[in-house]
């Protein structure tokens, strides 16, 4: 866990979550699935003027209404209560009732629904009206599609399942003209296009739900996807600043981990724009300065990390390419008080800046350049010799005393991680549970394994070593050499390894299909889901997988 003393922003308690439920009423059309949406009042306290799905708070009476509600064998008590609340809200807001007559099992008629009092549904009135008419709520036909929790920065927050159900035959939505207006049927793709054009305002969870829903061709297909009773996703989004405007992200998206690290309580204060002029504070003791070498291989550029503070001095991790301006910025950001320079590996976008940066440091002696020497397998453009080689498990310690007289320590532990390069290493900031992953783990792409210096078996073994380190150290965040901070560290490592093994299986299948083939012939089969412009790069990792496949076969 990150030390509270190193957080950039004062802790605050987000607004409490209130239980709620919403329902997406669906129907099939010739053009595909349509969903019923309605516009909220411009004076509403939450999402004013937005097009939404009917829904609202879960009341105590919703629990009591189970006496007149159906239930699937696999449906939990909580899901059943949520379904009741969603059915009640759809009735109150749009005059739609998912129910049937207990006497004969027939769906409730539109005329009978119209005879009910939508304005007197407070408390148990809704359930009482249904019971008096012998109606049973069709909660067994309501399924969980997604689970959203309102963003931490917002003053009103809800814990709300997005439920789905087929629209009952013969009923016509009629807005209450109080909270909801203009009910309309719309295809998800059309709603998204209109939102993008500025004529159909929707809030973030609505947009993302429709994006996922657009992939289903029929209502039956969508409902079948919900049969496991588990939400297809659960999300509590986070917001940052992009070009000065709020930008929101889900857990699987690249900036999410960085926002969780820098603003754990949801403060919308962190800028996500990539730039190379000034260091980006991530914690009080960690800054990132991105080199101006953006490319298809480096993404936004190589991240140089500065660990430490004025009391302890600084360690620079990956000084980057030999770029005069970038090196000068690193020196100024540390006030020249650099105690060590560490290179995670020898590649040209990581280590060449080490010697020029060292030469600038005249305060207190020159900092040693540390790392692992490149092996004979390294390309001529990726040769590196440190002044001292780092041992696996070795600790690099910064310590000092603040102006207030408090002792402070920052400890980086070395982990040897061959694979991307034979001399690759990673670093763990032990006090704050951070992993500096170099090129072994990247955000937004997979690293290239380029034989002979790159080795796929070594790479996968190193992933296992990093996973064990994360488990033992409670590490939640990975700071890669390219891209934003990665959250959910062990999940990210597991997904990366699974991706590599899945790719290997595709390569093995291509080799079996064309046993006399060449790597050039296997490549289009194994990387058919990758843009062709990336195939020359992918060919390097394919060669590493082929070598591993043949090595494993030789030992069987």
């Amino acid at each position: 866990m990150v030390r509270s003393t190193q957080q950039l922003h004062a802790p605050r308690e987000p607004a409490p979550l209130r239980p709620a439920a919403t329902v997406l009423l669906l129907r099939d059309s010739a053009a595909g699935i349509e969903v019923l949406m309605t516009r909220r009042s411009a004076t509403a306290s939450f999402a004013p003027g937005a097009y939404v799905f009917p829904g609202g708070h879960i009341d105590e009476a919703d629990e009591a209404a189970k006496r007149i509600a159906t239930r699937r064998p696999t449906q939990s008590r909580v899901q059943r209560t949520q379904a009741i609340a969603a059915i009640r809200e759809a009735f109150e807001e749009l005059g739609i009732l998912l129910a049937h007559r207990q006497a004969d099992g027939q769906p409730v008629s539109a005329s009978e629904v119209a005879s009910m009092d939508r304005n007197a549904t407070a408390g148990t009135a809704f359930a009482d009206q249904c019971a008096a008419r012998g109606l049973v709520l069709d909660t067994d036909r309501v399924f969980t599609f997604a689970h959203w929790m309102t963003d931490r920065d917002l003053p009103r927050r809800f814990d709300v399942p997005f439920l789905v159900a087929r629209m009952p035959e013969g009923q016509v939505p009629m807005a209450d003209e109080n909270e909801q207006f203009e009910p309309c049927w719309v295809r998800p793709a059309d709603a998204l296009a209109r939102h993008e054009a500025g004529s159909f305002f929707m809030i973030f969870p609505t947009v993302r739900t429709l994006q996922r829903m657009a992939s289903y061709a029929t209502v039956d297909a969508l409902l079948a996807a919900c049969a496991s009773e588990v939400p297809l996703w659960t999300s509590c989004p986070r917001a940052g600043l992009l070009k000065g405007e709020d930008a929101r992200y889900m857990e699987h998206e690249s900036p999410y981990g960085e926002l969780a690290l820098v603003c754990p309580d949801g403060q919308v204060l962190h800028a996500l724009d990539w730039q190379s002029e000034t260091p980006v504070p991530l914690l009080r003791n960690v800054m990132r300065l991105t080199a101006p070498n953006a490319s298809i291989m480096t993404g936004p550029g190589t991240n140089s990390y500065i660990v430490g503070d004025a009391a302890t001095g600084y360690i620079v991790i990956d000084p980057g390419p030999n770029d005069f301006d970038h090196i000068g910025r690193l020196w100024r950001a540390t006030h020249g008080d650099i105690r060590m320079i560490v290179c995670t590996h020898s590649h040209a976008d990581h280590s060449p800046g080490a010697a020029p940066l060292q030469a600038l440091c005249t305060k207190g002696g020159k900092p040693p350049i540390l790392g692992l020497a490149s092996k004979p397998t390294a390309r001529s453009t990726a040769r590196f010799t440190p002044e001292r080689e780092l041992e696996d498990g070795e600790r690099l310690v910064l310590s000092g005393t603040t102006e207030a007289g408090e002792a402070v320590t920052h400890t980086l532990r070395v982990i040897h991680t061959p694979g991307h390069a034979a001399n690759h290493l990673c670093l763990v900031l032990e006090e704050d549970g951070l992993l500096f992953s170099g090129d072994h783990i990247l955000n937004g792409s997979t690293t290239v394994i380029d034989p002979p210096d790159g080795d796929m078996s070594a790479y996968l073994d190193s992933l296992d070593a990093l996973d064990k380190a994360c488990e033992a150290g409670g590490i939640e965040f990975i700071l890669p050499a390219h891209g934003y901070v990665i959250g959910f560290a062990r999940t990210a490592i597991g997904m990366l390894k699974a991706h590599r093994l899945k790719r290997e299986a595709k390569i093995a299948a291509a080799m079996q299909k064309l046993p006399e083939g060449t790597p050039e012939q296997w490549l289009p089969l194994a990387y058919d889901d990758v843009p062709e412009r990336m195939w020359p790069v992918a060919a390097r990792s394919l060669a590493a997988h082929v070598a591993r496949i043949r090595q494993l076969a030789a030992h069987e």
Side-chain angles (χ1 to χ4, degrees):
M1 296 289 292
V2 174
R3 291 171 286 182
S4 59
T5 56
Q6 303 306 320
Q7 293 287 356
L8 294 173
H9 307 294
R12 69 174 189 182
E13 190 67 28
L17 289 164
R18 305 178 184 184
T22 191
V23 61
L24 287 65
L25 295 168
L26 309 171
R27 71 181 187 186
D28 291 309
S29 74
I33 288 180
E34 292 182 335
V35 60
L36 183 58
M37 302 189 71
T38 182
R39 180 175 59 82
R40 286 182 62 80
S41 165
T43 59
S45 58
F46 184 80
Y51 280 87
V52 297
F53 315 115
H57 293 95
I58 295 176
D59 297 333
E60 291 183 8
D62 295 324
E63 175 74 22
K66 287 179 179 176
R67 70 185 190 276
I68 59 163
T70 58
R71 177 180 176 272
R72 291 187 304 278
T74 54
Q75 192 175 30
S76 70
R77 289 181 60 85
V78 171
Q79 287 175 312
R80 198 171 171 213
T81 301
Q82 293 167 341
I84 291 170
I87 289 172
R88 174 180 53 77
E89 288 286 346
F91 171 71
E92 292 175 6
E93 296 178 357
L94 296 176
I96 300 298
L97 182 57
L98 279 73
H100 66 272
R101 294 197 299 266
Q102 187 173 23
D104 58 12
Q106 292 299 307
V108 62
S109 66
S111 60
E112 192 162 9
V113 175
S115 70
M116 297 174 67
D117 188 353
R118 293 164 59 189
N119 297 317
T121 54
T124 60
F126 170 67
D128 289 344
Q129 285 193 76
C130 292
R133 289 168 169 77
L135 300 180
V136 178
L137 303 181
D138 290 333
T139 47
D140 64 324
R141 300 184 182 182
V142 180
F143 295 85
T144 305
F145 185 60
H147 178 197
W148 288 96
M149 288 165 279
T150 307
D151 316 29
R152 294 164 181 81
D153 62 293
L154 298 179
R156 290 171 62 84
R157 302 182 66 222
F158 302 95
D159 186 329
V160 52
F162 277 42
L163 309 175
V164 289
R166 188 183 295 276
M167 176 71 179
E169 293 287 342
Q171 297 188 37
V172 178
M174 297 288 290
D176 61 11
E177 301 296 328
N178 180 25
E179 294 183 16
Q180 309 292 343
F181 301 84
E182 303 173 13
C184 61
W185 288 99
V186 60
R187 289 193 319 128
D190 293 338
L192 293 167
R194 291 165 63 185
H195 171 75
E196 187 69 22
S199 62
F200 200 82
F201 170 62
M202 297 183 293
I203 60 176
F204 182 83
T206 308
V207 171
R208 291 307 178 86
T209 300
L210 290 176
Q211 287 173 343
R212 185 71 173 266
M213 181 174 289
S215 64
Y216 294 94
T218 65
V219 175
D220 281 344
L222 191 151
L223 296 179
C226 303
S228 68
E229 307 288 9
V230 177
L232 272 62
W233 73 89
T234 297
S235 181
C236 180
R238 289 185 177 273
L241 299 172
L242 201 60
K243 298 181 180 178
E245 301 290 334
D246 286 11
R248 299 190 182 271
Y249 301 92
M250 294 173 66
E251 287 79 350
H252 67 281
E253 295 178 294
S254 292
Y256 190 93
E258 183 154 322
L259 295 172
L261 173 65
V262 181
C263 303
D265 296 327
Q267 304 94 325
V268 188
L269 298 170
H270 185 63
L272 295 165
D273 308 272
W274 287 104
Q275 50 82 28
S276 299
E277 297 300 314
T278 57
V280 175
L282 300 174
L283 296 173
R284 293 187 186 279
N285 59 329
V286 180
M287 293 183 285
R288 178 184 66 216
L289 185 62
T290 303
N293 62 334
S295 72
I296 194 171
M297 293 296 294
T298 61
T302 301
N303 294 329
S304 298
Y305 291 102
I306 302 169
V307 177
D309 53 47
T312 65
Y314 302 89
I315 294 176
V316 173
I317 301 171
D318 281 342
N322 188 0
D323 181 278
F324 178 83
D325 291 333
H326 179 66
I327 292 165
R329 294 181 191 113
L330 285 171
W331 182 79
R332 287 190 293 274
T334 59
H335 308 287
D337 189 12
I338 299 175
R339 307 297 175 88
M340 291 170 259
I341 300 170
V342 181
C343 297
T344 61
H345 60 296
S346 55
H347 289 170
D349 59 325
H350 291 261
S351 64
L357 179 61
Q358 182 193 57
L360 288 177
C361 299
T362 58
K363 180 179 178 180
K366 293 189 179 298
I369 298 172
L370 309 174
L372 296 174
S374 54
K375 304 298 182 183
T377 50
R379 295 177 184 271
S380 59
T381 56
R383 297 291 169 81
F384 168 71
T385 302
E387 293 179 341
R388 183 172 71 80
E389 290 213 347
L390 294 171
E391 298 292 331
D392 187 36
E394 180 178 348
R395 287 175 169 82
L396 308 176
V397 181
L398 293 173
S399 60
T401 305
T402 66
E403 292 182 358
E406 297 176 347
V408 59
T409 301
H410 313 294
T411 306
L412 288 167
R413 186 176 79 252
V414 177
I415 303 177
H416 286 187
T417 52
H420 171 65
N423 67 331
H424 197 286
L425 60 82
C426 295
L427 299 159
V428 171
L429 181 55
E430 293 188 325
E431 291 87 352
D432 298 302
L434 304 181
L435 170 64
F436 296 89
S437 65
D439 274 359
H440 206 82
I441 301 171
L442 307 178
N443 190 339
S445 64
T446 54
T447 194
V448 175
I449 311 300
D450 188 9
D453 203 48
D455 182 279
M456 189 61 70
S457 290
Y459 178 80
L460 294 173
D461 289 344
S462 293
L463 282 181
D464 290 339
L466 292 178
D467 180 64
K468 290 178 181 177
C470 289
E471 181 181 23
I475 294 170
E476 299 178 5
F477 298 100
I478 299 172
L479 282 65
H482 304 282
Y484 296 114
V485 175
I486 302 168
F488 309 106
R490 295 194 67 202
T491 300
I493 292 171
M495 291 177 63
L496 180 55
K497 184 173 181 180
H499 171 79
R500 284 292 189 184
L501 294 177
K502 184 178 179 181
R503 181 69 67 193
E504 187 162 287
K506 288 189 70 173
I507 293 170
M511 294 171 69
Q512 290 175 351
K513 184 175 182 179
L514 300 174
E516 303 300 323
T518 64
E520 291 76 17
Q521 292 171 313
W522 298 328
L523 183 65
L525 299 176
Y527 286 85
D528 57 350
D529 56 337
V530 174
E532 191 170 349
R533 60 184 174 82
M534 296 298 297
W535 285 0
V537 176
R540 305 180 195 175
S541 291
L542 180 140
H545 277 296
V546 169
R548 172 179 152 82
I549 290 167
R550 288 174 170 165
Q551 183 182 43
L552 293 174
H555 286 83
E556 288 182 353

